[in-house]
Amino acid sequence: MSELFDAVDALVASRSPLPPPAERKRLRQAHGLTLDEVAAALQVRRATVSGWEAGKTEPRPPERDAYARMLKQLAQLYPATQATAPPKDTSVPETPAVPAASVAPAAPAPPAAEPPQARTGSTDPAPEAGNAAPRPAAVPRPAAPTVRPSSTSRRPGTKKPAPANTPTADADPRFANGPLLVIDADDSSQMTGYGIGGLVLDVPAKSLPALVEWTLKEAQLGAGRLHGSGRDADPLLVLTESACERYGLPVALSDAERLTGRLPEGHKILKQLDRADWQLTKRGFGPWARIYRPAQGRQRQCVQLCIPSWEALDARTWGHAAQLEPAELARVLGAYAARVMTPCGSTAVTGLELMTALNPPTRASEPDETGKRHREHRPGSLGEHPMDCAPCEAPDGHPLLAGLPRFHQRGPDEMLFEEAYDWARELTDAECMQRYLVGVDVNLAFGAAANGAVVGLATPPVHITDPVFDPTLPGSWLVDLSHVDLSRVLVGKQWRRLESALLPSPFTPTGERPEGPAWYATPTVAYALELGYDVAPTEAWVREEKGRFLDGWYKRLRNAYVDTMADLGVDEKLRTREFLEAMDGCKQRDPEMAIVLDAVKSTVKGGIGKLRERARGGGWKPGQPWPALSRPTWRPDIRATVISRARINMHRKVLNLAAATGRYPVAVLSDCAVYAADGPSPLHVLPYDADDKTVPGSFRLGVSPGMVKHEGTQTTLWAEGVREKYGQVLNLARYIKTGEVTAKDDGE
């Protein structure tokens, strides 16, 4: 009889009532449970629970009864406030519905002859120029698709119904489904693709070659070109762990594969692709694999893969993005793609590719006598061929330096060394009497420095002996600036006397006064003239073809940064005190948009760094070329110009504040300056009046690039404790945010 009772109980459990999928997710999140915790309790996979909440599958006995029991208990704890929908999450402001075009990648830019109106309001001292990229509206949170009965058959490639605020079409009908999909698999045989705006697609492909074919022929994925002479962005497919398993890929790379950054030759997936006539780039099949066939005419056949479990989304730049649910990851990557561009590698790689996408090297010529157009150099670009740098601009190991003696150490009179600040000093007695140390951080400092920077373009550098310095000519200059005395400088149009011992030198990254001739980029030498001192270069490498190559790049990234900050509740038009209040905990308002914000900032810094990419492994030896040298965008002179401007911009702000208030920094690290103050707020350092105005040309609180935010505050006692513990002057700007000093200041 007991067996019959058990059978009846099992029959009842197989039909245990369950709430709708959206309510299942609401109840789990209301109790603070993760998918992993629920999956572990029910002894199923995380993807299985995700499928239950998305309505893709329904639980079966014996898990169904336990799952229903859990949801019933949660429903008693967290009853729905409305009969038709779960309550709204009041911790995140509701995002209004937006048209499809506003969240899709930017449409092709207008021809350069008819630029749109440039945006105003930048606080960077250099004027703006170039085309301003369109600003997409706020990207809505993904919503679960409408529930479909489990008995409904799936039709390959069809869309599931989406909420009313989900974009369903792109401005370009070729890319109606947006730039990317996050591909996930459940316990059944079904693959699902999650796109931007809550889009969910059924993916019929059963193998990786079939997935690539489906993406190019049916998925309607991609993004329009960012410039009329550029090319459309390739579709991006992000494969989750379950998708990797389904397509025969390892969930994680082995130690040997991580070392090489790719799958080994002979792997079964590589054989599948080869049999289907698909090719891989020289990078091979790694975390960011590019699969293609040779273009047929103007039609590209190329798909980009991103595999988060292979560490494609570096935690240093993407935070916890790799652990997000597929729909949430699609929102993060979709927002980045819409505001920056479709990611095609690390944020540094994407930042470099964005330069070319916004300023292509070639264009179509006017028709010849037969009516045919040809490819020609596009003025204002870097061209399509790599170029040798000047010897002083070459990093150690460059082929130009192959003739130097072994182990030769180049000094400042042989090598251009333009780097960001890393300077600190001991506190004065007066500063020790103040209670706090307050750090202020320049927003998007390298982006602001790139704006308006005049750089060399597509011609090689020209060597000049005994030149007359020209501040409008980009290049590198050998000049002695040791005579510049910061105790008497020209600030504005007036000579001012300052405490030079309390200020870093603007001419060296360490802040030490130069001791003799050294190589400097044009902005550094021009700043010596601005301070009221003459300069007499003895040698120079200059570039006569010049332009503001990075202006469009800066504007697009500036818009991405400002728009994402607005999503976090920090608007450009806030007054100073409102800005400080809005910044407090802004990243907790929308953690997903906080990931996008960090990725945008990393794109700026990494893109500038990639302009002088060093050799990395692969059996390279000093004196031999490395792959990066074959790029037209390998331009150490442009990197030097941007970093020089960033350092000079920081020094100018420090100087103006010191001249007006007598306040001097105790430490400067790249874009962060630390001051002693009587209170913990930046307002105790920066003098604002009743009209919300501060010292002209100095630090100004606000969200725009070039303005500053509060980096952190620590006590003076904390600083003295750090000095006593380590027995040396550490750069306190490195630790001002958290106060945690984990190791000696090693310059990393």
Side-chain angles (χ1 to χ4, degrees), residues 670-684:
S670 186
D671 47 11
C672 177
V674 176
Y675 285 85
D678 292 322
S681 168
L683 296 178
H684 292 103

Side-chain angles (χ1 to χ4, degrees), residues 227-513:
H227 188 281
S229 297
R231 61 176 178 81
D232 299 331
D234 298 320
L236 172 65
L237 300 179
V238 184
L239 303 183
T240 65
E241 293 183 9
S242 59
C244 287
E245 291 178 342
R246 189 59 49 83
Y247 287 128
L249 293 168
V251 171
L253 295 178
S254 66
D255 292 341
E257 292 166 348
R258 273 210 312 271
L259 191 62
T260 60
R262 63 182 71 190
L263 292 179
E265 295 293 333
H267 193 279
K268 62 179 181 180
I269 287 297
L270 304 185
K271 294 179 180 179
Q272 287 181 14
L273 293 171
D274 184 61
R275 285 195 296 269
D277 294 327
W278 289 109
Q279 301 180 30
L280 296 167
T281 60
K282 292 181 180 179
R283 288 187 298 180
F285 202 115
W288 289 92
R290 189 177 290 274
I291 303 174
Y292 73 98
R293 284 175 181 154
Q296 302 294 328
R298 296 183 179 180
Q299 187 67 33
R300 283 174 58 86
Q301 299 184 79
C302 186
V303 171
Q304 179 80 57
L305 297 186
C306 168
I307 307 178
S309 62
W310 293 9
E311 300 179 2
L313 301 177
D314 192 329
R316 292 171 295 180
T317 53
W318 288 101
H320 65 282
Q323 282 74 51
L324 293 175
E325 295 303 312
E328 296 167 345
L329 180 57
R331 181 191 181 224
V332 168
L333 295 178
Y336 181 88
R339 291 175 177 171
V340 180
M341 68 178 293
T342 306
C344 51
S346 67
T347 51
V349 169
T350 304
L352 196 69
E353 290 295 321
L354 181 63
M355 296 180 192
T356 303
L358 292 169
N359 209 329
T362 60
R363 67 181 181 185
S365 67
E366 294 296 326
D368 58 18
E369 60 274 7
T370 65
K372 186 177 180 179
R373 296 180 183 269
H374 304 274
R375 187 170 68 175
E376 65 178 13
H377 171 69
R378 187 179 153 273
S381 73
L382 300 184
E384 59 180 331
H385 302 293
M387 185 188 320
D388 276 341
C389 61
C392 63
E393 297 165 351
D396 291 337
H398 193 280
L400 287 175
L401 309 176
L404 291 178
R406 190 178 183 185
F407 304 122
H408 175 72
Q409 295 292 323
R410 293 188 293 163
D413 59 339
E414 298 177 276
M415 178 182 182
L416 177 69
F417 191 65
E418 294 283 8
E419 298 295 339
Y421 266 131
D422 188 353
W423 169 85
R425 62 171 174 83
E426 290 190 356
L427 275 66
T428 64
D429 291 343
E431 289 167 340
C432 287
M433 296 302 293
Q434 296 179 290
R435 295 183 60 188
Y436 297 98
L437 293 178
V438 180
V440 292
D441 181 79
V442 180
N443 301 323
L444 228 63
F446 293 110
N451 182 36
V454 177
V455 300
L457 296 177
T459 56
V462 177
H463 184 252
I464 305 176
T465 304
D466 295 325
V468 175
F469 177 68
D470 182 354
T472 67
L473 198 60
S476 301
W477 309 79
L478 181 61
V479 58
D480 188 352
L481 299 180
S482 61
H483 64 291
V484 178
D485 186 1
L486 294 182
S487 63
R488 185 176 180 271
V489 295
L490 199 61
V491 181
K493 296 183 179 181
Q494 295 182 342
W495 286 94
R496 304 293 296 269
R497 290 198 173 276
L498 302 171
E499 296 288 341
S500 60
L502 304 181
L503 285 170
S505 168
F507 308 126
T508 62
T510 61
E512 300 295 327
R513 188 168 177 170

Side-chain angles (χ1 to χ4, degrees), residues 65 84 135 158 251 365 426 438 515 590 612 663 708 740:
D65 187 33
T84 58
R135 300 178 63 183
T158 58
V251 171
S365 67
E426 290 190 356
V438 180
E515 297 178 351
D590 192 337
R612 196 191 66 169
R663 289 188 178 275
V708 299
E740 297 180 4

